[in-house]
Amino acid sequence: MCAALVVCLLTSASSQAVDEPAKKQLSVNDEKVGISVGVKDDNRTLVAKDKQGKVLWEVDVIKKAGAPTVGQPVIRRLTLKDGKVTAVYGKHSFADFDLKSGKLLASGSD
């Protein structure tokens, strides 16, 4: 009985993992200027594209802003405000980039 229960639990857990939707990639979009910024599959690189899908700039956040002191070196959140893209990565680190140029404006951690 115990062996059957373990198999049943393992089967149930694996079918739930298969049924879960793929993790949505992070992205932000500024309709006014026509630029969208997303995170590549490596979870550390930002890519900005225009309305036609042409790549405007690309930056590896970890290489540019530095590795986080705590947490994994992956982007967890992406926000856009006043022409500035903010990538939150690791546990407490952030990096601000200019929306139009991709230039690093500031970085730090809280």
Side-chain angles (χ1 to χ4, degrees):
M1 170 102 173
C2 183
L5 179 59
V6 170
V7 170
C8 182
L9 290 174
L10 290 174
T11 303
S12 176
S14 65
S15 68
Q16 286 176 347
V18 171
D19 293 341
E20 291 177 14
K23 183 178 176 185
K24 184 179 176 186
Q25 288 298 99
L26 301 172
S27 65
V28 292
N29 186 23
D30 187 327
E31 297 280 337
K32 187 175 180 182
V33 296
I35 298 175
S36 63
V37 179
V39 179
K40 289 179 76 171
D41 288 339
D42 66 1
N43 293 320
R44 56 186 284 151
T45 303
L46 298 179
V47 179
K49 296 180 180 180
D50 66 11
K51 288 181 182 178
Q52 290 74 37
K54 178 184 171 192
V55 174
L56 302 173
W57 54 265
E58 189 170 314
V59 64
D60 182 318
V61 173
I62 310 308
K63 284 184 182 177
K64 195 69 162 178
T69 55
V70 179
Q72 296 295 316
V74 295
I75 298 170
R76 297 184 302 114
R77 188 173 19 161
L78 201 57
T79 59
L80 173 65
K81 185 176 180 184
D82 299 328
K84 179 176 64 175
V85 177
T86 301
V88 176
Y89 62 101
K91 189 95 170 166
H92 305 281
S93 299
F94 69 90
D96 295 333
F97 296 90
D98 180 75
L99 174 64
K100 293 180 181 177
S101 69
K103 178 182 175 185
L104 178 65
L105 302 173
S107 65
S109 61
D110 61 359

